Amino acid sequence: MKKLNLSLKNPIVSYIGFGGLLMLVPALILAGVLRNSTLTLVASVIFYSIAALGLNVLLGWSGLVSLGTAGFMGLAAYISAYLTHDLKLPFELALVAAVIIPTLIGILVGFISLRIEGLYLAIATLAVSEILRKTFEVFDFFTGGYSGKPISFPTILGFITQTPANRTLFPILMYTILVIFLVAVMILIHNLMKGQFGRALNAMRGSEAAAQAMGINLLKYRLMAFGLATALASLSGVLYVHFIKYTHPGSWTLALSLNLVAAIIIGGARNIYGTILGVFVVFAMPDLILKQIPYFGTIPNFAFIVNGILIIIVIMYYPYGLIQITKDFKKIWLKLKERFS
Amino acid sequence: MNDLNEQTVLSISELSIAFGGIKAVDNVSFEVNEGEIFGLIGPNGAGKTTVFNCITQFYKPNHGSIRFKSKQGQTVELTHHKSHEVIGYGLVRTFQNVELIKELSILDNVLIGGHIDYKTGVVRQAFSTKTAKMEENAYRAQAIEILKFLGIEDRKDWLVYGLPYGILKKVELARTLMCNPKLIILDEPAAGLNDTETLDFANVIRTIRDKYHTSILLVEHDMRLVMDVCDRICAINFGKFLAVGTPKEIQRNKAVQAAYLGTEDAA
């Protein structure tokens, strides 16, 4: 029998380890070291990371720009909320339906719009996203319209519900589910991108002519990448609505899609940890760090300014994203080790 | 459609394509035989690359037929197929300006050439099942074998970005070999290579023909390489057919000389 490779150099092991690290957050909250609100903050990094990983398949690996992520996330969130809250269907069923329906719509949209490229594709996906957002506002019997749609925590596996007894533990259970999904998505993306499918996407981005000459059907692979990105955006939307327990049309605007694009550029295109780092910088840093800075923290939209500056710095010095900094750290560490040994 | 006779692998007849009012290729016909190294030459702008793009279906010709004897042994009319389907019949090409993916390693670039042969689907790849792993490893071994044959196996993990042209050309060649081709089309393989690299490349082309039992069709400016390596040559000028024959016959051909050096009247 082959020995299992358990070193951290094995990416799968490191992803599971990363999931374990994320589980320290609720442990520290229970121990009273971290505040309760930190759980929501880290959870938001997790579900946005899932959408961002999907978008990275599109933007990073395939070189296609989509500005429609928020629309599909929102659609999935509303579908799942409607199915569990209004129709009282099981959470697991709602999750599957809320991933499949937007993905099918996404593939349909892709089939029409993926014949065009670059900025035009971005505009087409933006249009779809805005149509979806408008739908959320208008069809209020389904979405609750402008007042939003509050739901309660789902019943998991048909019997685990939130009761007054497990008030503090239930959010942690939901958080655990998020972590499991994130680790699974990381592993799947890793497997896909290092193999034939990932190489096809790389080829498509690097040289369409070479890709075609090597037998890669551009439309087919664009559609597959688009479908994968939409499916992960939908999963992200479902996890969002069941953790936050609320969805509102204002959550699914162009700003969210743009922030996800920014997260990928800042963190690192075609890099799994880079994507998560980028999401952390864009979505968690404003609340966690920026607002604590005296004087500057009170400037409205200060986070936007910081993101803009970060994008410029990253493009100039770290073209493969902030995740490259880890390499610099490694170099410094090796130098220090040499000096003191 | 008539089947090709036994020794012919590619037959181009009465090929014409016009861009706007300009006839880039005008009524060109030639045939490439099994196991042959065939050269297509002509002065700048003669339409050589256009002929290549028509064969590989990057351009759709206005007129004419391009018949190919596929790996599967059937005669295929290539003009009825899309550019990404051509490789499935065993016809694969390189590019004038080397089209590699610069963010990938040499090995990964070569593996792209094996794309169409993968049997495992995306789902099995996502879960990295045993069959998916086995298949990936088998193609990896094949790619390494090809890189070894071309003498660049020791650099297989290097990123393509920034490598010298001579190596890039070899990587592109290695990529074409992954699909066990019947006919390899090389677009200016010696462009950007120095003299020793060109000599080296001529040997590589011959060895590939012998080892992989393929035919090779090449477009080239470097006359020494063409005359040295080709069994037969077709010369075209301004999109029109001039002559076809052995290198010696082509060198002696008056029309070819006039096309390259000009006629005395014009001078």
Side-chain angles (χ1 to χ4, degrees):
Chain A
M1 225 187 90
K2 241 172 75 178
K3 228 176 74 182
L4 272 173
N5 179 4
L6 284 178
S7 95
L8 275 179
K9 289 231 169 89
N10 177 352
I12 310 287
V13 175
S14 91
Y15 298 149
I16 295 168
F18 180 71
L21 216 60
L22 286 175
M23 287 314 293
L24 282 181
V25 174
L28 289 174
I29 287 170
L30 288 178
V33 182
L34 289 172
R35 273 182 300 172
N36 258 329
S37 61
T38 318
L39 193 73
T40 313
L41 196 69
V42 182
S44 71
V45 171
I46 294 174
F47 50 68
Y48 286 132
S49 286
I50 291 174
L53 282 169
L55 185 61
N56 208 343
V57 170
L58 214 53
L59 189 70
W61 274 284
S62 321
L64 299 166
V65 189
S66 163
L67 294 179
T69 322
F72 290 109
M73 280 174 77
L75 182 61
Y78 279 115
I79 291 175
S80 189
Y82 183 77
L83 292 180
T84 51
H85 190 259
D86 298 50
L87 298 185
K88 308 286 177 213
L89 288 173
F91 166 64
E92 293 77 14
L93 186 76
L95 186 135
V96 173
V99 170
I100 289 177
I101 296 168
T103 306
L104 289 181
I105 295 175
I107 289 174
L108 199 70
V109 168
F111 200 73
I112 301 160
S113 61
L114 284 171
R115 287 154 206 277
I116 52 177
E117 298 157 30
L119 273 181
Y120 300 102
L121 177 64
I123 293 167
T125 48
L126 170 62
V128 171
S129 181
E130 285 299 299
I131 291 168
L132 285 172
R133 190 177 61 83
K134 201 72 201 161
T135 319
F136 304 152
E137 288 169 6
V138 177
F139 288 84
D140 46 5
F141 67 91
F142 170 60
T143 65
Y146 284 109
S147 39
K149 189 178 186 74
I151 60 168
S152 46
F153 274 134
T155 308
I156 292 149
L157 296 174
F159 67 94
I160 309 168
T161 46
Q162 194 187 23
T163 55
N166 62 16
R167 238 188 126 67
T168 45
L169 281 177
F170 202 85
I172 293 174
L173 174 66
M174 284 305 294
Y175 177 91
T176 313
I177 293 172
L178 293 186
V179 172
I180 292 170
F181 269 111
L182 177 67
V183 172
V185 167
M186 287 167 87
I187 293 172
L188 291 185
I189 299 261
H190 169 82
N191 284 345
L192 276 177
M193 291 307 129
K194 74 172 182 5
Q196 183 224 21
F197 180 64
R199 281 193 299 269
L201 299 187
N202 268 308
M204 207 162 70
R205 182 197 71 248
S207 162
E208 288 189 358
Q212 279 175 294
M214 293 305 130
I216 294 160
N217 181 343
L218 294 184
L219 183 62
K220 181 181 155 195
Y221 277 85
R222 279 184 193 159
L223 265 180
M224 284 166 86
F226 200 74
L228 183 58
T230 314
L232 290 181
S234 308
L235 177 62
S236 165
V238 174
L239 296 177
Y240 172 102
V241 77
H242 290 291
F243 190 87
I244 303 290
K245 298 186 290 177
Y246 182 67
T247 162
H248 178 265
S251 312
W252 314 114
T253 58
L254 175 63
L256 174 59
S257 298
L258 285 174
N259 272 336
L260 287 167
V261 171
I264 290 168
I265 295 171
I266 291 173
R270 298 188 293 286
N271 189 304
I272 288 173
Y273 282 122
T275 312
I276 295 167
L277 176 66
V279 169
F280 177 80
V281 168
V282 172
F283 290 94
M285 220 174 58
D287 280 345
L288 209 60
I289 299 166
L290 295 182
K291 281 194 182 148
Q292 320 299 329
I293 301 174
Y295 183 69
F296 286 105
T298 55
I299 301 174
N301 294 333
F302 181 54
F304 282 117
I305 301 170
V306 173
N307 283 349
I309 295 168
L310 263 178
I311 288 177
I312 295 170
I313 292 174
V314 163
I315 288 174
M316 281 173 73
Y317 300 106
Y318 294 99
Y320 293 105
L322 272 185
I323 198 75
Q324 270 182 304
I325 285 186
T326 53
K327 278 186 192 159
D328 291 355
F329 284 144
K330 250 183 216 160
K331 264 185 216 156
I332 295 168
W333 169 246
L334 285 177
K335 259 189 200 158
L336 285 176
K337 239 165 99 179
E338 236 170 62
R339 186 168 295 174
F340 293 108
S341 64
Chain B
M1 186 177 59
N2 299 326
D3 275 359
L4 293 172
N5 60 18
E6 216 156 277
Q7 83 270 17
T8 315
V9 64
L10 177 76
S11 161
I12 291 172
S13 61
E14 297 169 15
L15 183 73
S16 298
I17 184 168
F19 300 110
I22 298 158
K23 282 186 172 169
V25 178
D26 190 6
N27 207 13
V28 168
S29 307
F30 61 86
E31 288 186 341
V32 180
N33 294 330
E34 298 253 8
E36 189 174 42
I37 300 180
F38 190 95
L40 184 63
I41 63 165
N44 275 331
K48 305 174 297 271
T49 299
T50 309
V51 171
F52 269 28
N53 283 332
C54 284
I55 297 173
T56 48
Q57 302 308 311
F58 278 82
Y59 298 155
K60 287 286 169 195
N62 302 123
H63 179 77
S65 94
I66 301 164
R67 283 174 302 155
F68 180 66
K69 198 181 289 149
S70 70
K71 272 208 283 215
Q72 297 81 7
Q74 295 141 339
T75 302
V76 187
E77 174 61 57
L78 289 180
T79 50
H80 296 163
H81 294 277
K82 295 207 173 94
S83 51
H84 66 259
E85 293 165 351
V86 170
I87 190 173
Y89 297 115
L91 195 160
V92 64
R93 67 173 290 178
T94 66
F95 293 87
Q96 204 166 344
N97 303 313
V98 180
E99 298 275 348
L100 292 169
I101 316 309
K102 57 178 194 281
E103 295 89 355
L104 295 185
S105 69
I106 288 183
L107 184 63
D108 277 331
N109 265 288
V110 174
L111 280 167
I112 291 174
H115 176 84
I116 51 158
D117 293 327
Y118 275 77
K119 300 281 184 299
T120 50
V122 178
V123 178
R124 275 196 276 176
Q125 287 178 34
F127 290 98
S128 196
T129 60
K130 217 174 179 180
T131 39
K133 263 189 206 159
M134 269 166 59
E135 186 172 46
E136 175 79 10
N137 288 338
Y139 284 118
R140 247 162 222 274
Q142 190 192 340
I144 288 170
E145 198 59 39
I146 291 169
L147 288 173
K148 227 179 241 169
F149 162 65
L150 292 172
I152 47 174
E153 185 247 355
D154 51 334
R155 311 178 195 207
K156 66 179 164 54
D157 295 323
W158 291 21
L159 287 190
V160 158
Y161 183 77
L163 290 182
Y165 225 58
I167 292 177
L168 297 185
K169 291 267 177 184
K170 279 191 178 171
V171 176
E172 226 191 7
L173 203 54
R175 188 173 67 183
T176 66
L177 291 174
M178 276 302 283
C179 69
N180 302 314
K182 196 126 189 262
L183 174 66
I184 305 175
I185 301 191
L186 305 173
D187 199 352
E188 301 210 9
L193 300 185
N194 63 32
D195 286 357
T196 40
E197 283 173 327
T198 307
L199 271 177
D200 183 34
F201 213 87
N203 285 328
V204 169
I205 291 173
R206 270 192 225 104
T207 344
I208 284 177
R209 186 252 316 256
D210 298 337
K211 193 178 167 196
Y212 290 87
H213 309 292
T214 66
S215 313
I216 288 163
L217 169 60
L218 58 95
V219 154
E220 189 46 70
H221 268 300
D222 189 302
M223 277 307 138
R224 266 181 318 163
L225 178 74
V226 174
M227 297 301 167
D228 181 28
V229 83
C230 290
D231 300 316
R232 285 194 310 140
I233 293 169
C234 171
I236 58 174
N237 192 23
F238 293 120
K240 284 199 165 62
F241 175 84
L242 286 182
V244 67
T246 62
K248 282 221 172 97
E249 287 166 5
I250 291 292
Q251 275 171 326
R252 280 198 298 263
N253 188 295
K254 286 279 181 302
V256 177
Q257 286 172 1
Y260 271 91
L261 305 167
T263 55
E264 279 182 27
D265 305 340

